[in-house]
């Protein structure tokens, strides 16, 4: 008899190791018939199913919150305008709350940067209307925000 699980029985002459394979097969069948195996697989299935549902719900919540912010960013990136209605602070806050810590920090920095760029690039024309001198800085910040609103 082997002294440990690592010891391998020597093959009998002429059986080609069939006896050892058959003994291992019987041990596996006995192990799989243990009453704890169905309970473990059931618990694992519950856990995985629950986790997958949570990931799906978080992704759906993110996509719903990103919709109004992303729609404004896409239109604004085409031609920045000081007169286009921006997403409300509640919409932006709802979107930001769906982001992870690292993405939240990047988005808020880019959002702040586009606001600062707008202030520094704006001027009033002779008719009193507000225009932008240069939109390159605004567009760069908008692109960064847009990257962080992509669907998941």
């Amino acid at each position: 008899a082997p002294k440990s699980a690592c010891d391998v029985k020597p093959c009998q002459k002429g059986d080609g190791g069939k006896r050892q394979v058959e003994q291992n097969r019987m041990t596996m069948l006995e192990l799989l018939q243990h009453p704890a195996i169905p309970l473990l697989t059931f618990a694992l299935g519950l856990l995985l199913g629950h986790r997958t549902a949570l990931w799906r719900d978080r992704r759906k919540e993110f996509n719903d919150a990103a919709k109004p912010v992303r729609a404004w960013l896409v239109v604004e990136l085409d031609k920045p305008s000081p007169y286009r209605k921006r997403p409300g602070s509640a919409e932006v806050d709802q979107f930001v709350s769906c982001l992870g810590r690292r993405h939240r920090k990047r988005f808020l920095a880019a959002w702040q940067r586009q606001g600062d760029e707008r202030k520094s690039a704006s001027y009033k024309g002779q008719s009193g209307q507000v225009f932008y001198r240069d939109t390159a800085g605004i567009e760069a910040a908008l692109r960064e925000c847009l990257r962080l609103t992509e669907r998941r």
Side-chain angles (χ1 to χ4, degrees):
K3 294 179 182 163
S4 72
C6 297
D7 292 343
V8 177
K9 289 183 181 179
C11 295
Q12 300 281 332
K13 274 192 173 179
D15 75 351
K18 290 179 184 176
R19 176 182 281 169
Q20 182 67 31
V21 171
E22 189 63 33
Q23 286 177 342
N24 287 341
R25 186 176 299 141
M26 289 302 291
T27 306
M28 270 310 250
L29 286 174
E30 290 170 2
L31 180 65
L32 290 175
Q33 291 173 352
H34 193 278
I37 296 296
L39 293 174
L40 286 174
T41 56
F42 177 73
L44 185 63
L46 280 178
L47 182 65
L48 286 174
H50 179 67
R51 234 338 132 199
T52 318
L54 287 176
W55 288 331
R56 184 196 62 230
D57 291 347
R58 285 187 67 199
R59 191 180 74 239
K60 186 176 179 190
E61 183 183 350
F62 172 86
N63 290 336
D64 289 345
K67 228 178 247 181
V69 176
R70 184 168 178 78
W72 178 79
L73 287 168
V74 167
V75 173
E76 192 68 12
L77 187 60
D78 188 38
K79 179 150 176 51
S81 168
Y83 297 106
R84 192 169 289 121
K85 185 180 181 290
R86 295 180 190 177
S89 59
E91 291 173 320
V92 173
D93 183 57
Q94 184 179 6
F95 169 68
V96 167
S97 70
C98 294
L99 293 171
R101 183 177 302 163
R102 187 179 73 228
H103 288 118
R104 181 181 303 143
K105 206 172 182 180
R106 283 178 51 201
F107 180 82
L108 289 174
W111 188 259
Q112 182 66 41
R113 193 169 61 247
Q114 66 91 19
D116 295 343
E117 290 287 339
R118 286 176 188 281
K119 287 178 186 171
S120 66
S122 65
Y123 71 96
K124 285 191 178 185
Q126 290 180 345
S127 62
Q129 288 185 319
V130 178
F131 297 101
Y132 294 131
R133 286 186 187 91
D134 184 25
T135 60
I138 298 169
E139 290 170 359
L142 290 173
R143 264 189 230 93
E144 178 65 23
C145 289
L146 194 61
R147 263 187 239 116
L148 295 167
T149 62
E150 289 177 351
R151 288 182 62 86
R152 293 184 181 170

